[in-house]
Structures are given as C-alpha cells and as structure tokens.
DNA sequence: TCTGTATACCTATGTTCACTAGGTATCAAT
DNA sequence: ATTGATACCTAGTGAACATAGGTATACAGA
C-alpha cells in the first residue's frame, strides 16, 4: 500500500534539507513544496514531514522559529551550518549510490 | 550504525533481479556479486540477501533449484517471466525517482 | 449564522525492510 | 586437528516511511 515508490530511505530528509537551502519555509509549505519540486513523484505527507522536521531540529540541523503570519502561527525552519554540512554529505552519498546502481542497471559485463 | 548508506529501500531487490537477468546464480554468489558490481558501494550481507531470495521466490519472481556443485549443495536462482516484469517496473520506478530527485538537487528555481 | 474547506500544526500506531548477530554444515589446507 | 572459506539459514532489533487520525483558526458561501 505504498503511496510513494519504494526507494524512499533518506529521501525526505535529503529533499527537505535541499529545499531549505534556498529559503526558509514552514512545515505545511514544505509538504507541498516537496511534492511540487518532484512533480508528485515523491510526496511525503504531513505525518512524515512534521516528525522529520522535529528530529532534524533536535539534531541541530534546522532552526525553528514560530512566528505569526497572516493571522496564523507558522513554524519557520532554516538550515543551520550543521544542516548544510549534512546536506552535502547526503548529496554525496546519494550521488555515489545512484551512480553505482545506474551502472549495474545499464550494462552487463560486470565480470570484467 | 548503518553499514550501507541510507538510501537503501528496495535497492537489494532491484540489484538481485538485475543480476539474475544476466545469468543464474546461487545465494552466496549473489552476496559477493552485488558488492562487486557496485564497487562495494552497496553490499548487503547474507542476512539481507537470503531472506530476500526466499521472499522473491515465494512471490513467484524467482525459481529456486537446489543442485549439487563441487561437493556442496547450492541453491540456484533464475528469473521467472514475472520476475522480469517486476524488474522492468522497479527499474522504471527507480529512474523516475532518481530523475526527480536529481532535478531538485541540481538547480534552484523550482517555483517556475 | 452555520457549514464546509483550506490552512497549519501535531502524534500514535502500523508495517516494511535492512541490519546485526548469531547458528549449522561441508570442504580444503595447514 | 584446527582453521578458514564456502554455503546455507533465521531470530530479533531498529529506523523510517505510511496511515489515520486529532486540534484549531480563517474565510467563503449558502
């Protein structure tokens, strides 16, 4: 019953960090932004994003500030320097990983 | 304490199916082959591969035949036609997924 | 006014899946 | 006789995504 395709481990974290690199955002906004940025290919719901944001904040990768906006209270998140470093590391892992798999999927002759 | 990087969901399945597309293999061989084919980037141990093989067989994606070889008994696995179809589907998912993420990682201007 | 919908936050529970860490047995070599 | 490689296996743990709720405010429309 997986709504998202099955290659999801660590992907929400990676995307959230990447989007917050461009600009601060609040949780509800991030949910929509992830889906929009990936063309609905990856679309984790609030039940995934909110706990993730809390964890990332607890780890010191994000800074949260609740701030009134448009009559409501929103919680805006920004990347910390630690968060930037994590983003770089994850991006690196992601690239190495996908490259390796791509290579296997592509050709035979792995024995050479 | 993850030995492999964290983007692993469904990856062992994909790689096992892909490798078995080229030729039949036995479990112990597959463990080494996955690691070799990915240059050790993805290297699931026996505790991952064996249960996976059993599940895939139960799903009818693989056919298992135990056969004596070199004084030992090995269990050789081959792709069924259903397994081939699954491989295609997973490859497709994988490609769509990585493309989308790649796109997000690369540039800003997701708002356009 | 009242109802519905969108916004905006949250969490408890379930489920899947890789990971760890074992265990058994055979064979070859020291 | 003991070690190390081969070859199979499983039980238990944990991480992370998915489901399915819940609360509260703002606002438009009937």
């Amino acid at each position: 019953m997986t709504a998202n395709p099955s290659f999801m481990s660590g992907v929400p974290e990676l995307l959230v960090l990447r989007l917050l690199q461009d600009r601060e955002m609040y949780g509800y906004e991030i949910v929509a932004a992830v889906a929009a940025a990936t063309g609905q290919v990856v679309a984790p719901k609030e039940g995934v994003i909110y706990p993730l944001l809390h964890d990332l904040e607890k780890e010191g990768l994000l800074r949260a500030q609740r701030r009134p906006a448009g009559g409501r209270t929103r919680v805006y998140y920004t990347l910390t320097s630690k968060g930037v470093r994590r983003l770089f590391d994850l991006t690196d892992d992601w690239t190495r990983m996908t490259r390796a798999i791509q290579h296997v999927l592509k050709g035979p002759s792995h024995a050479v």
Side-chain angles (χ1 to χ4, degrees), chain A:
Chain A
M1 229 30 69
T2 49
N4 280 311
S6 26
F7 307 104
M8 284 290 298
S9 224
V11 168
E13 177 178 352
L14 176 63
L15 293 178
V16 165
L17 292 175
R18 177 60 186 84
L19 291 179
L20 288 177
Q21 192 189 23
D22 289 346
R23 57 185 176 86
E24 72 167 7
M25 295 174 96
Y26 56 94
Y28 193 78
E29 186 185 12
I30 294 175
V31 173
V34 170
T38 62
Q40 321 299 324
V41 174
V42 183
K45 311 247 184 251
E46 302 167 34
V48 172
I49 297 297
Y50 283 119
L52 174 59
L53 290 171
H54 301 158
D55 289 352
L56 294 179
E57 195 208 347
K58 227 165 277 166
E59 283 185 71
L61 306 175
L62 301 184
R63 199 165 69 90
Q65 22 185 350
R66 69 173 44 246
R67 193 195 305 159
R72 277 162 216 286
T73 294
R74 293 172 176 165
V75 185
Y76 285 87
Y77 291 92
T78 52
L79 268 189
T80 65
S81 55
K82 203 172 164 190
V84 175
R85 252 173 288 136
R86 170 72 126 268
L87 171 58
F88 288 160
D89 289 347
L90 284 183
T91 304
D92 213 59
D93 287 350
W94 170 260
T95 306
R96 279 195 9 268
M97 180 106 182
T98 48
R99 253 201 245 290
I101 294 168
Q102 191 56 39
H103 179 252
V104 176
L105 293 182
K106 225 177 164 182
S109 68
H110 305 295
V112 188

